[in-house]
Amino acid sequence: MDVRVVLNFAVLTRGLSLLLQALLNSAIPDHEADAFRPPRLEEPLYLDPMVEWCFGGLSHWDAEHFLFIAERGYLALFLLSVVALHALSRAVLQDRRLALLSSLLYCLTPANVFMTAGYSESLFAALTFGGLFLLEKGFTFRACLALGIATAARSNGLVNVGFLLYLPSLRALSRIRAYRTGGGAATTGHGRALRYTWVVARLLLTSLLGTALIALPFVAFQYYGYRTFCTPSISLERVAPALVSLAERKGYRMPDENGLPPLWCMRPLPLLYSHIQEVYWDVGFLRYFELKQAPNFLLALPMAGLGVAAAYAYYQANPDMCHRLGLWEGAGGRLDKPTPGFFNPKVFVYVVHSTVLLVFGTLCMHVQVLTRFMASSSPVPFWISAHLLLLNEPLLHRRKTTVPNVSLRPLHNPVSALLPHWRTCSPTTQCILGYFLSYWVLGLALHCNFLPWT
């Protein structure tokens, strides 16, 4: 039933997104941005003008790149990511209400426009959340397969290797503790040593093979880039003139067997991705810390605030467990009997992952990208938001409230029930929902008209 509520709300928010972007794209003239706009080489078909009117607002900025790739088959799927997030939340949080509210908030994600447009965020989120759910359930090979495909969609999927190293280690330590306390002849002496050895060997083998599977798409792409630009087998005469002209205007480099290889090919580790980040996007440590970038830091501030709040609240609630990295239990034995909710010991690795993304995104990326970077990579922003709502919103704890016509029964959609009674909600609710909804709408209005957004 909870999944049906989440799916219904996801379909509703996607429909509203499509309707609003079409209206806003028609009402507001496009900004003349210095962005990638490939030439249209094909003759327009009969229905193309109608399709352009309905969905043209979602084909701007980076979507132009992805749609250019889409001619060879590139897809993104938001609804699947909603289902995957809900399943992962139920497995980790072990709290039905918190999982439901988190998934509903995800339907109003501040990165909404990127989850709807021709970007890779929805595909990446679906594969990441689905892969982590499979890993939580012990389906390691299938999890690594999903996480490997996620890395093929976005390179930051490499960070998910941390989950592969941590969660099986947690299970291995649990087995060793069970062997130590199990007693009996089969678990003593030589037999016990063999079991310990098997657990450790299995962990090492799983970690090695799983890491290779997750990293394989990234490595394959770097190899493809090296072969394409460093040892090219094509000349510019075989490329469409319109594309050559575009590359010359934009300063793009095209592979040419008659030209000299680029300088990055001579590096000890020739990574195309690092070269593009550095040269074309000016990405690097503290490079974005300039006064003129202050508005972009303000844009990223709410998402950064959620990340900091999650790490701080979790540490305050579980300082001893954080010091132990969640790998072994303390005096209370809470790993075996976890407390449901956001402070569950199972959440620890997700908070660490979210914090790593936050620090890296703030120090080494275009900081305004932090919103969609974290919203598509980590469930923590939605878990902490739902946790704060349940902690501070009285309406969510009453079946029949003192507010007329408000009845927040557990299986109903609490978000849609709160919105009509905005003025009676707590300040925390107004801040969180205000952030989600304002970015949800502003992103559509600005992105669809070639205006800069997160």
Side-chain angles (χ1 to χ4, degrees):
M1 182 65 74
D2 285 357
V3 176
R4 183 179 299 175
V5 173
V6 172
L7 270 178
N8 288 341
F9 195 55
V11 171
L12 175 63
T13 56
R14 292 314 91 195
L16 286 175
S17 296
L18 293 174
L19 177 61
L20 281 175
Q21 67 84 24
L23 295 176
L24 292 169
N25 190 39
S26 300
I28 305 175
D30 281 355
H31 171 62
E32 289 297 326
D34 183 21
F36 176 70
R37 293 189 181 184
R40 308 302 182 191
L41 303 179
E42 300 84 6
E43 289 294 328
L45 301 178
Y46 180 71
L47 294 178
D48 281 357
M50 184 179 70
V51 173
E52 177 66 24
W53 188 91
C54 292
F55 305 107
L58 301 177
S59 64
H60 297 160
W61 294 109
D62 287 1
E64 292 277 16
H65 293 275
F66 292 117
L67 290 174
F68 197 64
I69 298 170
E71 295 176 1
R72 297 167 177 85
Y74 207 118
L75 184 66
L77 293 173
F78 181 79
L79 298 185
L80 183 59
S81 69
V82 173
V83 175
L85 175 63
H86 183 260
L88 176 64
S89 301
R90 288 290 299 268
V92 175
L93 301 173
Q94 300 177 3
D95 185 316
R96 184 181 180 184
R97 284 198 310 163
L98 189 57
L100 172 62
L101 188 55
S102 301
S103 304
L104 294 173
L105 288 174
Y106 177 72
C107 296
L108 297 175
T109 172
N112 169 55
V113 67
F114 303 104
M115 297 293 192
T116 308
Y119 278 61
S120 60
E121 270 77 0
S122 288
L123 174 63
F124 180 75
L127 291 166
T128 297
F129 297 153
L132 295 179
F133 170 73
L134 292 171
L135 198 57
E136 287 284 351
K137 292 299 183 180
F139 302 112
T140 306
F141 175 76
R142 280 180 274 180
C144 291
L145 189 62
L147 296 176
I149 301 173
T151 304
R154 296 188 67 83
S155 62
N156 56 288
L158 285 172
V159 185
N160 292 328
V161 169
F163 290 102
L164 172 68
L165 300 179
Y166 182 84
L167 293 177
S169 298
L170 205 59
R171 285 193 286 268
L173 288 174
S174 179
R175 291 192 190 97
I176 291 175
R177 284 194 296 268
Y179 293 156
R180 291 180 59 186
T181 59
T187 57
T188 59
H190 184 64
R192 180 179 296 177
L194 286 177
R195 289 195 174 191
Y196 290 168
T197 303
W198 167 243
V199 170
V200 173
R202 183 179 179 183
L203 173 63
L204 293 176
L205 185 62
T206 299
S207 300
L208 180 63
L209 295 179
T211 299
L213 190 58
I214 294 174
L216 179 61
F218 179 81
V219 174
F221 177 75
Q222 300 309 312
Y223 176 74
Y224 168 79
Y226 181 85
R227 289 296 304 270
T228 300
F229 289 95
C230 300
T231 59
S233 58
I234 187 174
S235 63
L236 293 182
E237 289 77 11
R238 297 167 56 188
V239 181
L243 294 181
V244 175
S245 176
L246 175 66
E248 291 175 350
R249 292 198 312 272
K250 294 291 185 179
Y252 299 152
R253 186 179 184 99
M254 300 190 68
D256 183 8
E257 62 182 355
N258 299 319
L260 294 175
L263 293 179
W264 65 267
C265 295
M266 312 302 176
R267 293 177 179 175
L269 190 61
L271 296 179
L272 173 61
Y273 186 78
S274 300
H275 171 73
I276 293 174
Q277 292 268 332
E278 180 182 355
V279 174
Y280 292 99
W281 297 342
D282 194 29
V283 169
F285 182 66
L286 298 183
R287 287 192 181 183
Y288 224 57
F289 279 69
E290 300 176 317
L291 185 60
K292 65 180 181 180
Q293 302 297 347
N296 288 322
F297 277 88
L298 290 176
L299 276 177
L301 186 60
M303 181 59 73
L306 289 177
V308 171
Y312 178 78
Y314 194 85
Y315 179 81
Q316 287 293 102
N318 302 291
D320 293 338
M321 194 197 68
C322 292
H323 296 158
R324 299 189 305 270
L325 303 180
L327 291 174
W328 59 89
E329 59 194 27
R334 292 181 60 187
L335 292 181
D336 294 330
K337 296 180 180 180
T339 303
F342 182 73
F343 299 133
N344 188 322
K346 293 168 72 71
V347 177
F348 170 77
V349 65
Y350 294 89
V351 173
V352 172
H353 172 256
S354 170
T355 305
V356 169
L357 295 181
L358 173 61
V359 173
F360 177 79
T362 303
L363 300 180
C364 303
M365 293 173 53
H366 291 182
V367 73
Q368 69 270 24
V369 179
L370 191 67
T371 301
R372 56 186 169 107
F373 178 62
M374 292 190 63
S376 62
S377 305
S378 171
V380 169
F382 308 100
W383 289 351
I384 186 62
S385 298
H387 169 76
L388 292 174
L389 287 181
L390 288 173
L391 191 65
N392 295 283
E393 181 50 67
L395 296 179
L396 293 175
H397 297 279
R398 305 174 187 173
R399 285 177 177 269
K400 293 185 177 180
T401 73
T402 56
V403 180
N405 302 320
V406 181
S407 179
L408 302 180
R409 287 177 289 178
L411 295 182
H412 283 194
N413 185 334
V415 173
S416 61
L418 286 173
L419 291 178
H421 304 277
W422 177 267
R423 298 181 64 181
T424 62
C425 291
S426 69
T428 301
T429 301
Q430 292 178 345
C431 288
I432 292 176
L433 291 185
Y435 163 53
F436 276 64
L437 290 171
S438 61
Y439 274 52
W440 195 84
V441 175
L442 280 174
L444 289 171
L446 297 177
H447 179 91
C448 294
N449 293 282
F450 260 118
L451 291 164
W453 186 236
T454 63

